Amino acid sequence: MADVQPTRRTVLAALALAGSGALPAGAATPLTVYKDPTCGCCAGWAKHMRNAGFAVTEKPVADLAEVKARAGVPAALQACHTAFLEGYVLEGHVPAHAAERLLRERPAIAGLAVPGMPVGSPGMAGPDPEAYDVMAFTKEGVPSLYLRVRADGMPG
């Protein structure tokens, strides 16, 4: 078998592509989540998003209030963790199907939120799952209903 050596041109092209920050086609969409270092439900949500194909980076922080304020999350919509996805904010236990819809539609909003910690939302397993709302919010903090999620976790 012949010994195949990369050419200088091939190596330089690969280095240029690697340094460009370009993601190969089909690469997972990056998602960065800021959470309390000891929060189990936040880790459960991150796992849900990874299982849906997102490239999740978890960033434990001591002061989530500062992250939420910087992201413009309205107080009434706050939950336990704050994530950033391609210029949007995801607050709390937003299901992957809502994040995927957000990226398909690209509405002129700041982000999505699932206020509180509804049982049955991603990362919040428990008996008697409940239906809950995924709220959109603008940069000015104005909320609106984005979608309803049934108790079985499906859009309703």
Side-chain angles (χ1 to χ4, degrees):
M1 179 178 246
D3 184 24
V4 179
Q5 296 291 322
T7 65
R8 181 173 182 243
R9 182 176 297 176
T10 303
V11 170
L12 290 174
L15 288 172
L17 181 60
S20 72
L23 294 172
T29 304
L31 172 72
T32 303
V33 57
Y34 291 82
K35 64 183 201 71
D36 183 280
T38 62
C39 183
C41 69
C42 297
W45 181 79
K47 181 180 178 183
H48 165 78
M49 297 303 279
R50 276 190 194 95
N51 289 343
F54 291 92
V56 179
T57 301
E58 295 179 56
K59 300 232 179 192
V61 294
D63 187 7
L64 280 169
E66 189 274 328
V67 173
K68 293 172 191 313
R70 189 170 29 109
V73 179
L77 299 183
Q78 292 184 5
C80 62
H81 56 266
T82 304
F84 297 90
L85 175 67
E86 294 196 359
Y88 290 103
V89 178
L90 299 180
E91 178 69 12
H93 296 268
V94 174
H97 61 77
E100 291 162 350
R101 175 182 158 192
L102 177 73
L103 294 178
R104 275 193 316 274
E105 295 176 351
R106 303 275 180 183
I109 60 172
L112 299 177
V114 172
M117 299 166 67
V119 175
S121 62
M124 289 297 300
D128 302 319
E130 56 193 17
Y132 60 93
D133 293 336
V134 177
M135 303 298 292
F137 61 95
T138 65
K139 290 183 186 344
E140 297 77 28
V142 177
S144 62
L145 179 65
Y146 188 70
L147 67 90
R148 293 186 189 277
V149 179
R150 299 185 318 227
D152 65 3
M154 298 304 294

